Amino acid sequence: MATVFLPMPIRRRIGGEPSLTVEGATLRQIISNLEERIPGISNELIDPELDDRVIRSMSAIIDGESAHMGLRTPVGENAEVHFLPAIAGGAPQSVTLPNRNEER
Amino acid sequence: MTTTEKPQEFKVVGTRPIRHDGVDKVLGRAVYGADVRLAGMIYGAVLRSPHAHAKITKIDTSKAEAMPGVFAVMSGKDMPLVASGALDLGETVDDTAFTSDRVMAHDKVVYKGHPVAAVAAIDQNTGLEALKLIEVEYEVLKPVISLEEAMAPGAIVIHEGLIGSDQGEQVKNTNIAVHNRLEFGDPEAAFDQSKTVIERTFIISRAHQGYIEPHASTVFWAPDGKITVWTTTQAPFGVRKTISALLNQPLSNIKVTPTEIGGGFGGKIPVYLEPLAAVLSKKAGRPVKIQMDRRAVFEATGPGPGGTVKVKMGVDDKGKITAATADIRYGAGAYPGASIGAAASGIFACYEVPNVRVDSYDVVINMSKTAAYRAPGTPQATFASETLVGELCEIIGMDPMEFHLLNASKEGTRRPDGPLFPRVGNEGCLLAIKDSDHFKSTLEPSAEGKLRGRGMASGYWNGIGNKSSVTINVNDDGIVSLVEGNPDIGGTRTTIAMQAAEILGLPAEDVHPAVGDTDSVGYSDLTAGSRTTYATGTAAIEAAKMVIDEMKKRVAMIWETEYENIEHIDGMFTNKVAPDRRFTFKEAAGKLGQTGGPVAMTGTVNVRGSGGGSFGTHLVDVEVDSDTGKVEILRYTAAQDAGKAVHPSYVEGQFQGGAVQGIGWALNEEYYTSDDGSMINSTFLDYRMPTSLDVPTIDTIIVEVPNVNHPFGVRGIGETSIVPPAPAVANALADAIGARLYQTPMNPGRILEALAAKKAGK
Amino acid sequence: MTLTPEQSFVRRVAVQCTLNGQPTEFLAAPYLSLLETLRETLGLTGTKEGCNDGNCGACTVNVNGRIVDACLMLGVEAEGKTIETIEGVAPAGGLHPLQQAFLEEAALQCGICTPGFLVSAKALLEAEPDASEQRIRLWLAGNLCRCTGYDKIIRAVEKARDQTK
């Protein structure tokens, strides 16, 4: 059983304790098991475009070190999992810059 | 958690060999970005926006194209904006659309110096003349320069398409790209229960990395679509990935050769010139070299962000911290990406803080996009927290060293942003300073008109691990070549070679390291994040172990015995069942031809981080001239945890270099910005970095608390040293003049104002 | 796009000087600085550009015994002068004691400022063979280094000073 500290935005929304205990041998399993307790959390945490890792504005930290194998990173018994903002501010989820080259 | 304390014995690690690339560098023969010379090479020049915020209403390059000596001209239409997407650069993930817009403007310019066009010509002067013939019309918009302006409701929005994130909620029509909050416990309740609570607001200046070598890139786009790049960069594979994304070219068609690099500190991670040179080369059919001039380096590349940091801290009657909160706001520049994440993680990392809340804001303003600058985001935040701690200690009458020790984070402490610390060197560094001659010495009284003071501060940076690839080839004469993919900004090719030498049982001189191009070496993440000696060293160790293992097999063949009987001890191959048979590495290497093919092994790793990071504590004595406000640094000692120092001279060098950058930031460095968003002090004369006269000897103390992720205990150390200096100087100044400054730089003008205010009894 | 013969012929100036101990003749473009002339016309890229306005010392050369920033001189001004660049510091086939000391003391990290420092330090020790640490720091204050914090550079110059006294 790992202790998972929920990302701040989600904690803020659902309230309650900052952490829960969750089963899972890999980060992917942990998130998938979290989905049962907090429906919709998978979509918030996982970005399919990014090679099986969490969304780009976040870092998944397992026992104090970043999840170097993305969602495949093993999670040991009694591990701690944190979801923290990425080192740089992180580009927001989506952005469209107006492309007006055609109009010139 | 216990760790075995038996110290490892090393033969090479911990010694001080001459660096392998040293002779070329002292002869002036090493090839840096601007030194590249290719047959048929022509010279690029970049036209940059004079406005910080404007629409481009017309751009006509026809006259420049027609000028004799001009081979090609480009503008935004030649490098169409790409769609938004993830650009994973290893340490950070940028956005492709923003990067595409940043390197060449499209419909709008958003910072002074924003490229709007570029030319390639027969020589540099012709190129500069040609720029004058490019006609650009702008509709000037009001620039948004200050954080207050940018964050105010109803502010002018710089990017209409930007969707901000406010603690996960999407926000439109904003310049606040990101607002994060981290929180544990209940700070408000804890403040109410505290004996003493203080809150202060700090303003930290935008500061440039100040590398002496400007950016320079040469690109040849061949008729078969192969793009070859020679560039001064910390991230050759990142450059490859970025060019591929921006110009929509296959990754494998792009080969990046990193030249020797004249300083980086994070500022040479992003691309600036490479895509422009590539497009020009395609048009011209020639290799194109572009060199940035110093003014463009200051105005149009990425310094570390300035901003405001508000900090509040409460303590009980013993001086134990009960709660701390912070509000961190950084001006990211024209595109999002200031390092607020690291700032929020680092601001209170030196302490056990049971109740904490940190709000951090990444704010877009009309200046060049900031980039990483050595422990990005953390020097600014720590200036605030450690200077606040200094003042708090004064108020409660507690010795700062005792305060630091009482509250020090250690193994098992929960970092303010959540994860638990493993065994780290925070207390080790504090005690090293406490035990130092400097700390024990008495500050001599100063002469008439001068004021002396002493101050300390701690700091922290958590290094990354990530991917590296190292190949080792064994030569017949027992010398090995080693190819790795990390540009060498501070001696890392040697520290990597030393780690391989340790495993191989060779002297450091017998390992010949080279930094390869992106075709010649496996993928390697960038030289940054304090990762190179640690992570690429680990890959070198892997490769070396594989070499030894293969050589054991070959030696077994030669001696006609079982592989299991062969040992490699103290640099010798021996046979367990026939102890009189021994080979040195050289002897074994000379016989490999009869046993199969050559021995060449590649170690690849994707390592975890640096085992909790590197802590440091700095101590400084200053003397202030009360007539001029000038500060002299009398004495400086920097202690920092290196885990295991591979080459102590280069570890000391990192401590000293970061300390002096921090001193510069503390006393002199800032962007003087006019209302229209121009940096007025964009030369080394007015952007005043320390000279040899401005600093004394920087004494260093290497503390070693091993990083469990590395076979020798190596920690990444390159960045932490810039974190403690500014608050240490602020605390020393407060001790000297009896008044506090809450803003960098603490230059003579501000010191005189503080002295005058104190005299007036304010 | 190609230049006419008249356009391509800029009135270059024939310059004769002594460069790194050798009589040297070349055609200097009158609008190029000595720095640009060394690097582009003469192919000597050891002298580096850091700022091009005389504020960093990366382009330090020795002209008639005096250290100057090559970006603040014109190439045509080399006429009749004795010039030493980093390429002339080492004796044939060896290293100058300063270069050796820089290597032993780890006085370089990225190395871009090193040529400028070596030219300055060589002139310093020739003028003041017994220079104190303060004099060394003063002489070298025109050379910026961002990597080392200067400490090991000073140690290296002191070492070379002690060896050559």
PDB file of all heavy atoms in Angstrom, chain A residues 3 46 56 58 74:
ATOM      1  N   THR A   3       1.300   5.455   0.029  1.00  0.00           N
ATOM      2  CA  THR A   3       0.587   6.667   0.461  1.00  0.00           C
ATOM      3  C   THR A   3       0.675   7.677  -0.659  1.00  0.00           C
ATOM      4  O   THR A   3       1.774   8.041  -1.075  1.00  0.00           O
ATOM      5  CB  THR A   3       1.228   7.239   1.736  1.00  0.00           C
ATOM      6  OG1 THR A   3       1.292   6.202   2.711  1.00  0.00           O
ATOM      7  CG2 THR A   3       0.416   8.401   2.267  1.00  0.00           C
ATOM      8  N   ILE A  46      -3.041  12.171 -16.524  1.00  0.00           N
ATOM      9  CA  ILE A  46      -2.283  11.515 -17.597  1.00  0.00           C
ATOM     10  C   ILE A  46      -2.451  12.250 -18.914  1.00  0.00           C
ATOM     11  O   ILE A  46      -3.542  12.643 -19.279  1.00  0.00           O
ATOM     12  CB  ILE A  46      -2.726  10.044 -17.745  1.00  0.00           C
ATOM     13  CG1 ILE A  46      -2.316   9.288 -16.472  1.00  0.00           C
ATOM     14  CG2 ILE A  46      -2.071   9.398 -18.962  1.00  0.00           C
ATOM     15  CD1 ILE A  46      -2.798   7.871 -16.436  1.00  0.00           C
ATOM     16  N   ARG A  56       2.245  17.517 -18.436  1.00  0.00           N
ATOM     17  CA  ARG A  56       3.532  18.187 -18.456  1.00  0.00           C
ATOM     18  C   ARG A  56       3.705  19.252 -17.402  1.00  0.00           C
ATOM     19  O   ARG A  56       4.815  19.653 -17.118  1.00  0.00           O
ATOM     20  CB  ARG A  56       3.777  18.780 -19.837  1.00  0.00           C
ATOM     21  CG  ARG A  56       2.695  19.731 -20.274  1.00  0.00           C
ATOM     22  CD  ARG A  56       2.897  20.085 -21.726  1.00  0.00           C
ATOM     23  NE  ARG A  56       1.770  20.815 -22.249  1.00  0.00           N
ATOM     24  CZ  ARG A  56       1.801  21.489 -23.370  1.00  0.00           C
ATOM     25  NH1 ARG A  56       2.899  21.523 -24.072  1.00  0.00           N
ATOM     26  NH2 ARG A  56       0.754  22.127 -23.796  1.00  0.00           N
ATOM     27  N   MET A  58       3.195  18.802 -14.379  1.00  0.00           N
ATOM     28  CA  MET A  58       3.346  18.113 -13.111  1.00  0.00           C
ATOM     29  C   MET A  58       4.534  17.153 -13.112  1.00  0.00           C
ATOM     30  O   MET A  58       4.921  16.645 -14.154  1.00  0.00           O
ATOM     31  CB  MET A  58       2.102  17.282 -12.869  1.00  0.00           C
ATOM     32  CG  MET A  58       1.477  17.553 -11.539  1.00  0.00           C
ATOM     33  SD  MET A  58      -0.035  16.670 -11.346  1.00  0.00           S
ATOM     34  CE  MET A  58      -1.101  18.008 -10.880  1.00  0.00           C
ATOM     35  N   PRO A  74       8.240   1.717 -10.911  1.00  0.00           N
ATOM     36  CA  PRO A  74       7.741   0.853  -9.842  1.00  0.00           C
ATOM     37  C   PRO A  74       7.464   1.652  -8.577  1.00  0.00           C
ATOM     38  O   PRO A  74       8.169   2.622  -8.270  1.00  0.00           O
ATOM     39  CB  PRO A  74       8.877  -0.141  -9.598  1.00  0.00           C
ATOM     40  CG  PRO A  74       9.910   0.138 -10.608  1.00  0.00           C
ATOM     41  CD  PRO A  74       9.600   1.409 -11.297  1.00  0.00           C
TER      42      PRO A  74
END
